[in-house]
């Protein structure tokens, strides 16, 4: 009887154990393993990207005192890539102090992000594109967005005061650099007496030469590496190196100031680049690129402006389409709807702005033609999304084809980068020199 009961018990237990074992093996086999984990800090936001062969199910919640974001990854198993995320947090990250990774409960990996400040998180999934698989993206934005002009900090130069004088009369005029020019037969004014009121009791007019701001946009960045050369050079690194040189040379010029739209290896959406330039109240926008082509023998530099009526050539149309796909590679949350940005990017009625962009493009193209072969001898136009600021003359400079082995080598050369930066800045200066003086001055009355 005992043996009979034992036999019946085994007949019940064994199938249950086998079923549980099968379930465990099945669960383990179906577990998602993170193949890459990347952290991209920037002044505007910090991005965390988790890449896997299939979409990652997740949940998250916030905790306060201290500020934390808890991210639960469902059906994800531990991996070296995920655990290595802990070491990727640097002291310079504006928003993340540290990351902890561990098993929270069976089938759930938990990430805890210790935060430096209250944030607004944005989490979204990206489908496979280019070299990337499925991506789960976490963007950490500050609750209070940084003020663009405040970011200029100590580097902001004051406007230059020209002279103080009585209100303009028929025998005075503004000269080419914006200072008040008094004709030789006009009486000279003593600034000390003017200030004391002994020479004139009339209010003085101070004519200031306005600081001209150039927004310099290093193409691509972060998840979006741009084109890749035969020896492994990434476009995003070349464009940033050249952009920094352009900024330094602009800052060295009296009356000019350079602002980097991207000053590190992180992704900024195309619309965000436009918005940032407008936040800086930029007078010009220059986007720097080094693209690839399907044929390695393609070579030369080009300069593009925006078009209201389609591309000026099939190549320009192809390039614009390729550049406009940067948001797909870099990754944007398509569920975020910003009507202001929408209006900004489709408002192409500012013909004067586009015409000014063409003038700037021609000036820069002439200078670049002195150091490199031109892919096209004329400025081309196409619907580049990054050039669609309605109130800022904007150009896109293709410095060279990174897909051409010879040009890739030159793009990595410090001396050549410096020549490119010199050419771009000289073109900008010549464009500004042709502006009416009134566009570069501001009159204030004491």
């Amino acid at each position: 009887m005992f043996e009979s009961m034992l036999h019946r018990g085994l007949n019940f237990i064994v199938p249950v154990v086998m079923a549980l074992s099968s379930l465990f093996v099945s669960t383990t086999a179906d577990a998602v393993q993170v193949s890459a984990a990347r952290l991209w800090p920037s002044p505007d936001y910090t991005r965390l990207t988790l890449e896997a062969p299939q979409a990652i199910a997740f949940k998250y919640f916030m905790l306060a005192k201290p500020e934390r974001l808890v991210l639960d990854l469902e059906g994800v198993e531990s991996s070296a890539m995920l655990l290595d995320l802990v070491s990727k947090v640097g002291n310079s990250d504006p928003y993340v102090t540290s990351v902890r990774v561990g098993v929270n409960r069976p089938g759930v990996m938990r990430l805890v992000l210790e935060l430096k400040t209250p944030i607004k998180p944005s989490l979204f999934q990206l489908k496979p594109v280019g070299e990337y698989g499925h991506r789960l993206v976490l963007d950490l934005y500050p609750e209070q967005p940084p003020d663009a002009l405040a970011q200029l900090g100590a580097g902001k130069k004051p406007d230059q005061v020209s002279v103080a004088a009585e209100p303009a009369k028929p025998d005075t005029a503004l000269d080419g650099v914006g200072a008040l020019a008094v004709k030789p037969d006009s009486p000279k004014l003593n600034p000390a007496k003017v200030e004391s009121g002994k020479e004139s009791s009339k209010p003085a007019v101070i004519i200031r030469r306005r600081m001209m701001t150039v927004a310099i946009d290093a193409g691509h960045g972060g998840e979006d590496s741009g084109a890749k050369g035969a020896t492994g050079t990434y476009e995003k690194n070349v464009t940033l190196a050249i952009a920094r040189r352009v900024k330094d040379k602009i800052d060295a010029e009296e009356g000019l100031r350079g602002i980097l739209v991207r000053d590190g290896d992180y992704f900024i959406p195309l619309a965000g680049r436009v918005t940032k330039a407008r936040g800086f109240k930029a007078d010009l926008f220059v986007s720097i690129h080094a693209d690839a082509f399907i044929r390695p023998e393609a070579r030369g530099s080009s300069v593009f402006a925006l078009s209201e009526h389609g591309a000026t050539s099939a190549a320009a149309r192809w390039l614009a389409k390729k550049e406009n796909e940067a948001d797909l590679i870099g990754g944007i949350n398509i569920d975020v709807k910003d009507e202001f940005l929408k209006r900004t990017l489709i408002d192409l009625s500012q013909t004067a702005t586009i015409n000014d962009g063409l003038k700037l493009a021609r000036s820069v193209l002439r200078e670049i033609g002195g150091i490199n072969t031109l892919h096209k001898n004329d400025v081309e136009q196409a619907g580049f999304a990054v050039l669609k600021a309605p109130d800022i003359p904007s150009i896109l400079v293709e410095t060279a084809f990174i897909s051409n082995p010879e040009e890739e080598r030159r793009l990595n050369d410090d001396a050549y980068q410096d020549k490119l930066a010199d050419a771009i800045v000289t073109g900008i200066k010549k464009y500004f020199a042709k502006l009416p003086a009134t566009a570069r001055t501001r009159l204030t009355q004491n």
Side-chain angles (χ1 to χ4, degrees):
M1 179 177 177
F2 175 76
E3 290 180 355
S4 176
M5 291 176 62
L6 180 62
H7 181 71
R8 288 198 299 271
L10 289 174
N11 285 343
F12 172 76
I13 292 172
V14 171
V16 171
V17 171
M18 291 180 64
L20 290 173
S21 175
S22 174
L23 178 62
F24 176 76
V25 171
S26 175
T27 302
T28 303
D30 293 340
V32 179
Q33 189 170 78
V34 172
S35 57
R38 298 179 288 272
L39 198 65
W40 307 100
S42 78
D44 299 322
Y45 73 109
T46 288
R47 166 168 288 192
L48 168 64
T49 304
L50 303 176
E51 187 176 351
Q54 61 194 75
I56 300 174
F58 67 93
K59 293 179 181 177
Y60 79 96
F61 56 92
M62 304 291 297
L63 296 172
K65 297 181 181 181
E67 299 288 337
R68 286 156 290 165
L69 184 144
V70 180
L71 177 61
D72 285 343
L73 307 176
E74 301 178 355
V76 172
E77 65 179 7
S78 181
S79 68
M81 292 293 184
L82 195 56
L83 295 175
D84 190 48
L85 188 61
V86 174
S87 64
K88 294 183 178 180
V89 180
N91 293 330
S92 60
D93 191 308
Y95 306 109
V96 180
T97 301
S98 64
V99 178
R100 301 196 304 272
V101 181
V103 177
N104 176 255
R105 56 190 183 276
V108 176
M109 288 293 294
R110 173 166 285 186
L111 277 63
V112 180
L113 283 74
E114 300 277 354
L115 306 171
K116 295 180 179 179
T117 182
I119 58 95
K120 291 189 298 185
S122 173
L123 285 90
F124 54 98
Q125 301 269 15
L126 294 173
K127 293 181 179 180
V129 62
E131 63 184 22
Y132 294 118
H134 290 271
R135 285 175 288 171
L136 171 60
V137 179
L138 166 61
D139 288 341
L140 304 173
Y141 292 94
E143 283 190 349
Q144 186 63 39
D147 180 78
L149 292 178
Q151 287 182 353
L152 300 182
K156 184 179 179 180
K157 300 177 183 178
D159 290 340
Q160 282 108 25
V161 178
S162 303
V163 328
E166 292 183 349
K169 298 177 181 179
D171 63 344
T172 62
L174 291 173
D175 68 11
V177 295
L180 185 67
V182 182
K183 291 185 176 180
D185 56 350
S186 302
K188 300 295 182 181
L189 298 177
N190 185 323
K193 291 183 178 181
V194 170
E195 186 176 0
S196 66
K198 293 179 180 178
E199 187 161 290
S200 173
S201 60
K202 297 179 181 179
V205 172
I206 297 178
I207 299 168
R208 302 175 186 272
R209 188 169 67 185
R210 187 169 66 82
M211 181 65 59
M212 307 302 285
T213 300
V214 181
I216 309 151
D217 173 47
H220 308 280
E223 294 285 292
D224 173 24
S225 58
K228 188 177 180 180
T231 64
T233 304
Y234 285 117
E235 181 183 5
K236 66 177 181 179
N237 297 329
V238 168
T239 60
L240 182 57
I242 297 172
R244 285 173 171 163
R245 292 177 187 273
V246 171
K247 173 181 162 51
D248 289 343
K249 292 178 184 297
I250 286 177
D251 285 344
E253 296 291 333
E254 185 179 358
L256 299 182
R257 172 176 56 201
I259 301 297
L260 288 174
V261 174
R262 174 175 75 87
D263 191 14
D265 188 10
Y266 49 87
F267 173 71
I268 302 178
L270 298 174
R273 296 169 191 258
V274 175
T275 302
K276 201 165 184 181
R278 299 184 83 231
F280 286 132
K281 300 188 183 301
D283 297 284
L284 296 180
F285 180 90
V286 179
S287 191
I288 297 174
H289 293 256
D291 214 334
F293 196 62
I294 53 177
R295 298 195 309 272
E297 63 270 20
R299 63 176 299 143
S301 302
S302 305
V303 182
F304 296 83
L306 186 64
S307 170
E308 286 184 286
H309 308 293
T312 51
S313 71
R317 186 182 306 107
W318 176 86
L319 182 61
K321 180 179 182 296
K322 191 169 181 292
E323 294 294 356
N324 290 347
E325 290 173 349
D327 281 350
L328 297 177
I329 304 295
I332 61 169
N333 189 351
I334 59 174
D335 292 329
V336 174
K337 296 177 175 62
D338 189 323
E339 289 303 316
F340 171 74
L341 281 181
K342 184 179 178 183
R343 287 196 304 271
T344 298
L345 293 181
I346 65 172
D347 185 1
L348 303 183
S349 61
Q350 285 77 8
T351 305
T353 301
I354 295 176
N355 287 340
D356 283 341
L358 281 166
K359 293 175 185 176
L360 172 63
R362 294 185 189 106
S363 183
V364 170
L365 184 67
R366 280 193 293 269
E367 299 303 320
I368 290 182
I371 65 165
N372 192 27
T373 303
L374 293 180
H375 187 67
K376 291 282 187 178
N377 290 324
D378 299 314
V379 171
E380 292 209 78
Q381 293 179 262
F384 292 91
V386 79
L387 302 183
K388 292 184 179 179
D391 49 358
I392 308 174
S394 304
I395 64 171
L396 187 145
V397 180
E398 286 290 352
T399 54
F401 282 98
I402 204 169
S403 51
N404 181 300
E406 181 185 350
E407 294 206 328
E408 180 189 10
R409 178 184 58 78
R410 297 177 77 190
L411 286 169
N412 281 306
D413 180 69
D414 288 345
Y416 186 67
Q417 288 184 4
D418 211 56
K419 288 180 180 179
L420 278 171
D422 273 332
I424 293 170
V425 173
T426 300
I428 290 170
K429 286 167 57 182
K430 289 184 176 180
Y431 167 81
F432 277 135
K434 294 180 179 179
L435 286 181
T438 51
R440 289 174 285 130
T441 57
R442 183 174 70 242
L443 278 66
T444 58
Q445 195 171 56
N446 285 355

